[in-house]
Amino acid sequence: MSDPVGRPVRDIVIIGGGTAGWMAAAALAHRFGGTETSITLVESAEIGIVGVGEATLPQIRYFNRSLGIDEREMMARTSATIKLGIEFCDWGKAGDRYTHPFGAYGETIGPADFHHYWVRQNTGGDAHDFGEYCYPIVAARNDRFALPDEDPASPLDAFSYAFQFDASLYGVFLSDFAKQKGAKRVEGKVVSVQTDGETGFVAGIALESGREIAGDLFVDCSGFRGLLIEQELETGYEDWSEYLPCNRAYAVPCAITDTVGPYTRATARKGGWQWRIPLQHRIGNGHVYCDRYISDQEALDQLMTTLEGEPLADPKQLFFKTGKRRKLWNRNVVAIGLSGGFLEPLESTSIDLIQSGIVNLLALFPERDCDAADRDEYNRLMDLEFERVRDFLMLHYVATQRDDAALWRDMRNMEWPDSLKYKIDAFRRRGIVPEYTHGLFLPPSWLSVFIGQNIVPEAYDPRVDLMSEQELAANLERVRSRIAAAVVQTSRHDDFLENYGATFAGESAS
Ligand SMILES: Cc1cc2nc3c(=O)[nH]c(=O)nc-3n(C[C@H](O)[C@H](O)[C@H](O)COP(=O)(O)OP(=O)(O)OC[C@H]3O[C@@H](n4cnc5c(N)ncnc54)[C@H](O)[C@@H]3O)c2cc1C
């Protein structure tokens, strides 16, 4: 192989046409369409895709926007609903209910952060539910949604939203987009991989049909199997099952029987938890569990007996091991999606991790030699992303008072990673949420779980005491009633869908 240093990547090969593959193809085609750089995506209809993954995070809107995708068209083509957050049921104790919103709590009422004022009021036993001070939570509880207001003075400006959609349709939508921008799709099963004897770089792949495809840079989106990153390059896997033991899931869609709210629900169960994700035409349901704590049959029965409508397909069982590859970028292979790692879908983070993988790859886009410094930086950034998501997911399990089943007792008593311990201690002792600049989940997210799962700070910001008791009560009440009044004025989620996403197809047809 001649020296590849300083030579631009000309042929990018993506293995896999699931959500990860088509998101990568769309973004790369958007960047390189019309240039000399080719993008080829190989997928096998016979192998298929994992086909779950319906709840997203608000960041996906920026991904779509960066590609110039019309949100209304995307919503219409993917049967999407709006997601304002996740409602968690029975996590702290049986009967508890709180929402992790996509937005901030309260507003500025003094020099300290809003939640410190609420903590003081709550210490006196006089506070309303913390969620009542957050517009997207109150809107979600009342099945309401309107687009955020651009006016920073409005309570409707301090929130964001995401989508609940049919992930397979999102893949089809993006594949149309990527192909229009010049990406090529090749149907076929990869049966062998050629590597360069000197560098160990992947040089090409061969399909069952005998066709060979050479490339400079390979994006491994082949799902859990990790065709290039693991089966070929033997990169290794960091197993995080000791922190997050759930390892299986059943998924099944059911019919809609009532109004669908603009939020996902996650209900804690004996050996794991159950999701409910409403789309326009059906509800996605699943039970994530650990086979050490309940049997497959028990998990399946739990799911099927709690469906709110008639099942629309046979339940599908999925197996996974929580963790990530030791390196997400190894030699000239970048693993994006399930091939790079998996953290259970409790906070809908997988598609967001795909997005981060793509954004970081574009930011550090290499020459053919895939400089080690770029690879190291990419791996450092992605490690942070994965670790921060892991800690946030763990918080839901360890901050529990449940004592009714072995899973919850074990999680309460487990050893926490230092990074998580620091966060929990800081909140418990001083009511503060240390911020980081890189990675998912801003302080309002952490706050929602801390407070929602009954972690009570021992102290609050002393500047709160500069406010008299009467002033404090009046300020909090003003914020609460302003939000309640704004929600009453907000359109119903169903009406919003009818007027926004759901009508796009009709409009383009007329
Ligand atoms: C139970 C569960 C629930 C989830 N819920 C959510 C959620 O709510 N939100 C969220 O963000 N994420 C969720 N996820 C994750 C989400 O499903 C995935 O991140 C997403 O589907 C991306 O998958 P993928 O594209 O990496 O892999 P896959 O969908 O498995 O695609 C792999 C692709 O590789 C191809 N392939 C494999 N081997 C070969 C070969 N030899 N030759 C040719 N092609 C090959 C396949 O044909 C396929 O096209 C969930 C995951 C699970 C398991």
Side-chain angles (χ1 to χ4, degrees), residues 239-292:
D239 181 349
W240 287 346
S241 317
E242 64 179 300
Y243 293 132
L244 291 166
C246 286
N247 55 3
R248 293 177 184 205
Y250 275 107
V252 67
C254 78
I256 294 173
T257 56
D258 204 349
T259 310
V260 302
Y263 58 92
T264 293
R265 180 179 296 141
T267 306
R269 300 291 189 204
K270 179 181 161 193
W273 59 278
Q274 194 169 325
W275 80 73
R276 174 192 181 274
I277 304 177
L279 313 189
Q280 287 180 24
H281 62 307
R282 62 169 161 81
I283 294 178
N285 306 276
H287 188 181
V288 173
Y289 62 100
C290 173
D291 66 344
R292 283 210 316 273

Side-chain angles (χ1 to χ4, degrees), residues 15-21 42-45 47-56 167 188-191 207 221-225 227 249 251 275 277 288 318 320 336-339 342 345 348-352 354:
I15 312 290
T19 310
V42 181
E43 67 175 318
S44 157
I47 294 175
I49 63 171
V50 71
V52 280
E54 302 178 321
T56 64
K189 204 192 281 185
V190 178
V191 287
L207 306 184
C221 299
S222 63
F224 286 125
R225 69 196 72 217
L227 193 79
W275 80 73
I277 304 177
V288 173
L318 299 121
F320 53 84
I336 294 181
L338 299 173
S339 64
F342 183 65
S348 325
T349 42
S350 288
I351 293 176
D352 192 76
I354 292 172

Side-chain angles (χ1 to χ4, degrees), residues 62-381:
Y62 306 115
F63 179 79
N64 290 334
R65 202 178 290 165
S66 71
L67 303 188
I69 285 172
D70 184 315
E71 181 169 295
R72 297 197 320 157
E73 181 183 4
M74 188 283 293
M75 287 186 71
R77 287 199 44 194
T78 61
S79 199
T81 55
I82 294 291
K83 177 178 171 193
L84 282 171
I86 305 177
E87 181 183 59
F88 287 91
C89 302
D90 302 334
W91 284 81
K93 302 189 290 303
D96 280 0
R97 194 174 280 255
Y98 71 94
T99 302
H100 166 199
F102 298 145
Y105 288 87
E107 55 188 73
T108 306
I109 59 172
D113 287 340
F114 178 83
H115 71 274
H116 290 276
Y117 295 91
W118 179 86
V119 169
R120 173 177 152 194
Q121 186 85 340
N122 193 46
T123 311
D126 228 5
H128 284 268
D129 179 89
F130 192 46
E132 291 187 31
Y133 300 92
C134 180
Y135 172 79
I137 294 182
V138 183
R141 284 177 183 165
N142 287 280
D143 296 337
R144 308 262 166 174
F145 179 75
L147 294 171
D149 195 331
E150 310 251 301
D151 176 4
S154 160
L156 271 72
D157 93 303
F159 76 98
S160 191
Y161 64 95
F163 311 106
Q164 298 157 143
F165 59 28
D166 183 323
S168 311
L169 295 179
Y170 186 56
V172 174
F173 177 72
L174 290 181
S175 80
D176 288 347
F177 175 92
K179 285 187 268 182
Q180 267 167 25
K181 298 258 176 189
K184 291 188 206 70
R185 174 189 181 274
V186 175
E187 167 63 37
K189 204 192 281 185
V190 178
V191 287
S192 66
V193 180
Q194 295 87 48
T195 50
D196 181 272
E198 207 178 302
T199 60
F201 279 27
V202 172
I205 52 166
L207 306 184
E208 210 169 30
S209 61
R211 179 171 172 182
E212 296 189 349
I213 300 172
D216 304 319
L217 180 71
F218 287 80
V219 186
D220 185 349
C221 299
S222 63
F224 286 125
R225 69 196 72 217
L227 193 79
L228 301 181
I229 197 78
E230 198 56 55
Q231 291 183 9
E232 186 60 35
L233 298 185
E234 298 181 347
T235 304
Y237 196 74
E238 279 177 41
D239 181 349
W240 287 346
S241 317
E242 64 179 300
Y243 293 132
L244 291 166
C246 286
N247 55 3
R248 293 177 184 205
Y250 275 107
V252 67
C254 78
I256 294 173
T257 56
D258 204 349
T259 310
V260 302
Y263 58 92
T264 293
R265 180 179 296 141
T267 306
R269 300 291 189 204
K270 179 181 161 193
W273 59 278
Q274 194 169 325
W275 80 73
R276 174 192 181 274
I277 304 177
L279 313 189
Q280 287 180 24
H281 62 307
R282 62 169 161 81
I283 294 178
N285 306 276
H287 188 181
V288 173
Y289 62 100
C290 173
D291 66 344
R292 283 210 316 273
Y293 296 101
I294 50 166
S295 67
D296 290 338
Q297 192 58 49
E298 208 179 338
L300 182 60
D301 292 346
Q302 168 74 72
L303 177 64
M304 300 308 282
T305 53
T306 47
L307 292 184
E308 61 198 67
E310 175 205 343
L312 299 176
D314 290 334
K316 178 174 178 179
Q317 192 175 20
L318 299 121
F319 302 86
F320 53 84
K321 188 194 279 182
T322 299
K324 57 172 271 298
R325 298 280 164 224
R326 290 196 191 288
K327 291 176 188 171
L328 281 107
W329 183 346
N330 188 3
R331 300 201 173 100
N332 64 336
V333 173
V334 183
I336 294 181
L338 299 173
S339 64
F342 183 65
L343 297 165
E344 62 181 71
L346 184 57
E347 286 282 356
S348 325
T349 42
S350 288
I351 293 176
D352 192 76
L353 288 168
I354 292 172
Q355 183 175 338
S356 299
I358 294 168
V359 168
N360 287 326
L361 174 60
L362 289 176
L364 298 166
F365 199 79
E367 294 179 316
R368 269 189 236 183
D369 66 329
C370 288
D371 191 89
D374 289 334
R375 281 183 273 152
D376 289 350
E377 178 60 2
Y378 182 90
N379 289 329
R380 184 185 75 80
L381 293 173

Side-chain angles (χ1 to χ4, degrees), residues 415-444:
E415 192 69 31
W416 306 338
D418 287 345
S419 45
L420 176 60
K421 194 168 179 320
Y422 170 66
K423 280 234 160 202
I424 294 179
D425 284 350
F427 188 73
R428 190 168 273 155
R429 288 184 25 238
R430 290 170 291 150
I432 62 165
V433 185
E435 253 184 278
Y436 37 71
T437 51
H438 192 82
L440 269 176
F441 300 119
L442 295 169

